[in-house]
């Protein structure tokens, strides 16, 4: 597997890691207050307590939100190259597919931190707070079982793809299976941790009713 | 325990889990785990991850975050306000003019974005105060705003059709072509309804008084406000229908176009940009994880033989084709009143569409049936019209809540739903027309 990595690969990985670190140090702290503000939060409400795990998720989101803008940028670049210069690229379609997958998987964790996953709250809003706590715990249990099952069922396949460094099999040939399959496991594990975190943070919050406009 | 009992348990299970407050996507994912375990034990869990992987690398889905991003940007600019003033100059002297302006504006905005919510809120902020000030009938004003504001997911580009296309492996391009006529028909019917109603009963829409005569040159000058939206619509729909780009790239072009317009108008700020990105990320995570959960459930249920079982039992009833389709429409309307459209596409379509595909195409519609290859497209459009109703239907019609969040406090939710009634009837009328004449959807489709 070692010989599959060229010097250029190492430089890319090193450069991106360094970039992410610098981003975490200088930019993320400035974005976290905005990212932490949920839709449920009214003015004057101090919002949810931000724990270490929340902070990790928000730091991740502080990079991820710009990936959307980055995809817009490269796709526009591709269209211009194709129609103005007649030179389509090989990499834009696949890179956007790859990054899109990263957004899909990780955005769910941010949505979980924001408590914005679509729920039906007809019954939930009617019952008392202690009953709501039981519902929350049950809900968390379901999510944990789902995450566990995905991880258990897919670990072997994902690990094989990672160690054999399976490529996409196209002209540009990015390692989409080698990266994305393990990322599914990472996302599920992270989601499970975030779920437990939410359960603990929300346990002592007073009863609140939901407004369907929250899903906007 | 056979597949029949499991199917029934699933139905009960999803209701119970949702009632308890488990997020929709993860509730369906959990049920997927249960089905996989029941059929294959722990070995069955592989299907869950595999189905998630297929969604992860689906390029067409990328259009979802991009269209959301564009809508978030549009919401924060004054492009819509200017369009409203421009249309107003032209139509304010007409009976019911502002309601018509609202509907036209909603149609143009629907051709730019593919989601609802933002549109209803914007129209509620811009048009509702003016209509109420002029003494328009409150029900008419509310109904117009919410019904036409919901067109965002009917007139292409539409997120509902994108997700439907991905789930059912139908060409999104074909869906977008087929949705033009039904979408415009719906919008057109709203306008006709407003015109007829206000002419029959002028008290519903008083004309503005003491306003100076608008000069013709003013009208020409006002057209400037229509320019940016028309440019955006041309860029997006032009690149899709002209075959220049795919749906996803068209969405990217739309984002760049919107950003350029906002920048050119001097409205761009870092704050606006960052907030749009943040909300895009949140909405994307929400929608896509419903897709993840439902795809795992659909995957596990399929390998367990569920869809075949349901299809066979429905076909075994020997109902006429249209009877089955009408039943499905009723189920969509019922589910739509209670739950989000994403969930319905993902949970119902893998079961329903194979059934529809197995029925005789000649029996569809009133006259002469439909080309079998166009059935998935037609069914997608039917579904889309159903979801138009679901945005307005009580108790959870989202449009009502969007409007409530910006309406004057004296307008209650019950008032809002009251205003919807005639518009829901129009939607059902369009649904009936689409059911009777499937040919309408195949007009622009290749033979």
């Amino acid at each position: 597997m070692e010989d599959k990595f060229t010097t250029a690969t190492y430089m890319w990985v090193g450069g991106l890691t360094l970039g992410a670190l610098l981003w975490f140090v200088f930019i993320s702290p400035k974005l976290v207050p905005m990212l932490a503000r949920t839709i449920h939060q009214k003015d004057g409400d101090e919002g949810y307590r931000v724990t270490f795990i929340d902070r990790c998720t928000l730091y991740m989101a502080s990079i991820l939100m710009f990936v959307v803008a980055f995809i817009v940028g490269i796709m526009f670049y591709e269209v211009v190259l194709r129609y103005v210069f007649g030179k389509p690229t090989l990499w834009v379609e696949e890179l956007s597919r790859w990054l899109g997958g990263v957004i899909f998987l990780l955005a769910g964790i941010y949505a979980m931190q924001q408590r914005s996953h679509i729920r039906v709250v007809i019954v939930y809003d009617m019952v008392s707070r202690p009953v709501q706590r039981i519902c929350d715990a049950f809900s968390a249990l379901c999510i944990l079982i789902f995450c566990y099952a995905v991880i258990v069922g897919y670990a072997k396949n994902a690990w094989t793809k990672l160690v054999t460094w399976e490529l996409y099999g196209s002209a540009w040939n990015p390692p989409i299976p080698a990266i994305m399959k393990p990322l599914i496991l990472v996302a599920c594990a992270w989601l499970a941790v975030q779920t437990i975190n939410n359960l603990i943070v929300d346990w002592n919050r007073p009863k609140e009713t939901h407004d369907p406009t929250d899903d906007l | 325990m056979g597949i029949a009992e499991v199917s029934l348990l699933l139905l009960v299970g999803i209701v119970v889990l949702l009632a308890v407050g488990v997020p929709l996507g993860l509730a369906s994912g959990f049920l997927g785990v249960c089905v996989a375990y029941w059929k294959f034990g722990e070995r069955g869990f592989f299907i869950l991850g595999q189905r998630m992987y297929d969604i992860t690398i689906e390029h067409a889905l990328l259009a979802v975050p991009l269209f959301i991003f564009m809508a978030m940007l549009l919401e924060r600019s004054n492009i819509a306000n200017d369009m409203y003033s421009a249309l107003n100059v032209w139509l304010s002297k007409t009976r019911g003019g502002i309601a018509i302006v609202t509907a036209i504006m909603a149609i143009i905005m629907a051709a730019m974005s593919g989601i609802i919510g933002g549109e209803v809120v914007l129209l509620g902020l811009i048009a509702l105060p003016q209509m109420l000030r002029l003494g328009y009938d409150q029900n008419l004003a509310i109904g117009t705003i919410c019904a036409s504001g919901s067109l965002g997911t009917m007139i292409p580009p539409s997120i509902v059709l994108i997700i439907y296309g991905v789930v059912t492996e139908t060409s999104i391009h074909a869906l977008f072509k087929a949705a033009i006529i039904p979408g415009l028909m719906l919008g057109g019917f709203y306008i006709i309804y407003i015109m007829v109603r206000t002419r029959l009963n002028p008290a519903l829409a008083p004309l503005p008084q003491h306003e100076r005569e608008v000069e013709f040159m003013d009208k020409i000058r006002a057209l400037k406000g229509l320019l940016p939206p028309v440019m955006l619509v041309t860029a997006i729909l032009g690149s899709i229908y002209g075959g220049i780009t795919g749906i996803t790239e068209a969405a990217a072009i739309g984002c760049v176009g919107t950003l350029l317009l906002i920048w050119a108008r001097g409205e761009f700020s870092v704050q606006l940009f960052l907030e749009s990105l943040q909300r895009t990320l949140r909405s994307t995570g929400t929608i896509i994880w419903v897709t993840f959960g439902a795809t795992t459930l659909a995957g596990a249920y399929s390998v367990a033989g569920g869809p075949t079982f349901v299809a066979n039992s429905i076909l075994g009833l020997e109902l006429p084709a249209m009877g089955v389709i009408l039943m499905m429409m009723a189920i969509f309307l019922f589910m739509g009143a209670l739950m989000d459209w994403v969930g319905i596409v993902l949970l119902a379509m893998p079961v329903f569409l194979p059934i529809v595909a197995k029925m005789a195409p000649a029996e569809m519609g009133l006259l002469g049936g439909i080309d079998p290859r166009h059935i998935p497209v037609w069914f997608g459009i039917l579904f889309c019209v159903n979801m138009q109703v679901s945005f307005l239907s009580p108790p959870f019609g989202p449009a009502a809540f969007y409007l409530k969040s910006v309406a004057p406090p004296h307008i209650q939710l019950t008032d809002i739903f009251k205003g919807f009634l005639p518009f829901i009837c129009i939607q059902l009328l369009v649904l009936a027309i689409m059911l009777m004449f499937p040919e309408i959807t195949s007009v622009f489709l290749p033979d």
Side-chain angles (χ1 to χ4, degrees):
Chain A
M1 135 184 193
E2 287 302 321
D3 57 322
K4 284 184 180 144
F5 298 122
T6 57
T7 323
T9 315
Y10 285 116
M11 284 175 70
W12 272 106
V13 172
L16 287 175
T17 316
L18 186 68
L21 282 176
L22 287 174
W23 190 275
F24 286 148
V25 173
F26 293 105
I27 302 194
S28 302
K30 291 191 182 130
L31 292 173
V32 160
M34 184 195 76
L35 283 165
R37 196 181 160 79
T38 66
I39 13 182
H40 306 285
Q41 200 170 327
K42 307 283 182 289
D43 290 323
D45 181 352
E46 81 283 8
Y48 292 91
R49 184 157 57 86
V50 177
T51 63
F52 173 72
I53 292 159
D54 286 323
R55 199 161 283 276
C56 293
T57 304
L58 294 174
Y59 269 53
M60 177 268 287
S62 76
I63 290 188
L64 200 60
M65 63 191 257
F66 289 97
V67 177
V68 180
F70 180 72
I71 291 177
V72 171
I74 59 171
M75 283 193 144
F76 189 69
Y77 174 74
E78 154 83 13
V79 173
V80 171
L81 274 192
R82 185 161 15 128
Y83 286 101
V84 182
F85 300 100
K87 280 189 249 167
T89 62
L90 283 175
W91 54 272
V92 166
E93 202 265 355
E94 285 163 18
L95 183 62
S96 57
R97 187 187 290 264
W98 188 4
L99 291 175
V102 175
I103 295 175
F104 295 161
L105 285 171
L106 299 183
I109 304 162
Y110 178 57
M112 180 59 84
Q113 196 278 333
Q114 296 274 297
R115 280 83 169 164
S116 78
H117 277 295
I118 298 172
R119 303 162 66 192
V120 179
V121 286
I122 324 163
V123 180
Y124 186 86
D125 275 353
M126 286 190 306
V127 299
S128 68
R129 189 68 188 110
V131 181
Q132 282 189 345
R133 287 204 185 98
I134 298 172
C135 291
D136 287 345
F138 178 75
S139 183
L141 184 70
C142 290
I143 299 173
L144 293 184
I145 292 176
F146 172 71
C147 294
Y148 166 81
V150 173
I151 294 171
V152 166
Y154 215 48
K156 198 163 150 237
N157 183 287
W159 179 249
T160 317
K161 305 290 172 188
L162 181 65
V163 292
T164 59
W165 201 246
E166 185 172 306
L167 303 175
Y168 195 54
S170 58
W172 186 51
N173 223 359
I176 290 182
I179 302 281
M180 296 311 289
K181 291 194 171 186
L183 193 65
I184 293 177
L185 308 187
V186 173
C188 284
W190 196 335
L191 188 76
V193 174
Q194 183 67 51
T195 306
I196 298 172
N197 175 70
N198 282 8
L199 185 66
I200 297 170
V201 170
D202 294 351
W203 195 261
N204 290 320
R205 282 180 71 83
K207 177 163 174 164
E208 53 199 49
T209 47
H210 297 86
D211 187 339
T213 41
D214 292 347
D215 297 332
L216 190 72
Chain B
M1 198 163 61
I3 186 72
E5 287 84 0
V6 170
S7 306
L8 201 66
L9 273 181
L10 274 182
L11 214 57
V12 177
I14 193 84
V15 173
V16 171
L17 289 181
L18 287 181
V20 168
V22 184
L24 174 60
L26 296 152
S28 20
F30 172 72
L31 289 174
V33 173
C34 298
V35 175
Y37 189 78
W38 163 73
K39 188 74 186 171
F40 304 104
E42 288 213 352
R43 286 183 303 129
F45 292 163
F46 173 73
I47 186 87
L48 310 170
Q50 191 56 36
R51 290 289 289 228
M52 282 177 74
Y53 176 70
D54 292 341
I55 290 285
T56 303
I57 58 165
E58 174 64 59
H59 196 250
L61 269 184
L62 197 51
V64 172
L66 300 188
F67 275 124
I68 295 179
F69 181 44
M70 185 182 150
M72 297 291 174
L73 287 171
L74 277 176
E75 255 175 55
R76 280 167 184 67
S77 92
N78 279 324
I79 294 176
N81 292 54
D82 289 1
M83 177 164 54
Y84 181 75
S85 327
L87 288 170
N88 230 343
V89 172
W90 279 82
L91 287 165
S92 65
K93 291 285 170 191
T94 319
R95 178 73 60 192
I98 302 180
I100 299 173
V101 166
T102 309
I104 296 178
M105 197 171 134
I107 294 171
I108 300 177
M109 283 166 67
M112 293 193 279
S113 89
I115 61 176
I116 82 154
E119 254 183 78
V120 175
V121 168
L122 261 177
L123 294 172
L125 283 172
I126 302 173
L128 186 61
Q130 200 184 352
M131 284 199 264
L132 294 179
R133 190 160 42 80
L134 282 175
Y136 271 52
D137 178 60
Q138 187 180 302
N139 287 342
L140 181 73
I142 290 170
T144 308
I145 289 175
C146 291
S148 45
S150 305
L151 286 172
T153 56
M154 184 74 219
I155 294 176
S158 145
I159 296 201
V160 175
L161 291 177
I162 294 174
I163 302 246
Y164 175 87
V166 169
V167 172
T168 61
E169 291 173 3
T170 311
S171 153
I172 299 173
H173 223 91
L175 286 166
F176 277 15
K177 279 185 177 163
I180 305 174
I181 297 181
L184 291 179
M185 192 158 80
L186 204 50
F189 281 8
Y190 294 155
I191 296 176
I192 294 172
Y193 167 76
I194 296 167
M195 289 168 73
V196 171
R197 198 77 211 275
T198 51
R199 268 160 193 72
L200 289 179
N201 184 359
L204 291 177
L207 287 172
Q209 290 163 344
H210 322 295
E211 249 176 57
R212 64 184 180 88
E213 203 57 42
V214 184
E215 282 173 28
F216 186 70
M217 280 317 287
D218 285 340
K219 289 193 174 180
I220 299 293
R221 233 170 274 137
L223 286 178
K224 209 175 59 173
L226 285 177
L227 203 60
V230 169
M231 274 160 51
L232 276 181
V233 171
T234 318
I236 298 167
L237 294 185
S239 15
I240 294 176
Y241 293 132
I244 299 174
T245 62
I247 312 277
T248 319
E249 283 173 337
I253 292 175
C255 292
V256 173
T258 313
L259 275 171
L260 282 178
L261 277 177
I262 291 179
W263 179 74
R265 296 162 54 92
E267 290 170 346
F268 184 84
S269 72
V270 178
Q271 173 83 359
L272 172 143
F273 185 65
L274 294 180
E275 271 183 14
S276 306
L277 284 177
Q278 181 222 358
R279 300 185 66 175
T280 306
L281 191 63
R282 183 165 54 204
S283 303
T284 307
T286 312
I287 293 188
I288 298 292
W289 272 76
V290 176
T291 318
F292 277 140
T295 195
T296 56
L297 174 56
Y301 191 57
S302 300
V303 293
T308 327
F309 160 75
V310 179
N312 286 340
S313 18
I314 291 187
L315 291 174
L317 293 174
E318 310 242 329
L319 288 169
M322 285 313 279
V324 175
I325 291 185
L326 280 179
M327 202 172 78
M328 289 175 179
M329 296 299 117
I331 295 176
F332 285 151
L333 291 176
F334 178 73
M335 286 170 87
L338 299 173
M339 110 192 221
D340 201 76
W341 62 268
V342 201
I344 308 177
V345 181
L346 289 149
L347 296 179
M349 284 307 165
V351 180
F352 282 8
L353 196 61
I355 302 176
V356 178
K358 268 187 203 153
M359 292 185 308
E363 289 176 34
M364 314 257 177
L366 269 189
L367 326 151
I370 180 174
D371 185 333
R373 285 167 305 160
H374 294 165
I375 288 181
V377 175
W378 173 57
F379 201 65
I381 303 300
L382 288 177
F383 175 74
C384 213
V385 180
N386 272 305
M387 290 306 106
Q388 288 293 302
V389 183
S390 88
F391 293 139
L392 302 188
S393 57
F396 299 109
F401 292 92
Y402 294 137
L403 186 68
K404 177 83 181 94
S405 65
V406 292
H410 71 270
I411 297 182
Q412 297 297 318
L413 264 183
T414 41
D415 300 329
I416 297 182
F417 280 120
K418 225 179 284 163
F420 288 172
L421 207 59
F423 290 91
I424 292 182
C425 293
I426 297 176
Q427 291 171 335
L428 293 176
L429 172 72
V430 171
L431 182 62
I433 296 177
M434 299 313 300
L435 278 167
M436 286 189 281
F437 307 105
E439 301 86 350
I440 299 175
T441 52
S442 4
V443 173
F444 294 120
L445 298 180
D447 288 324

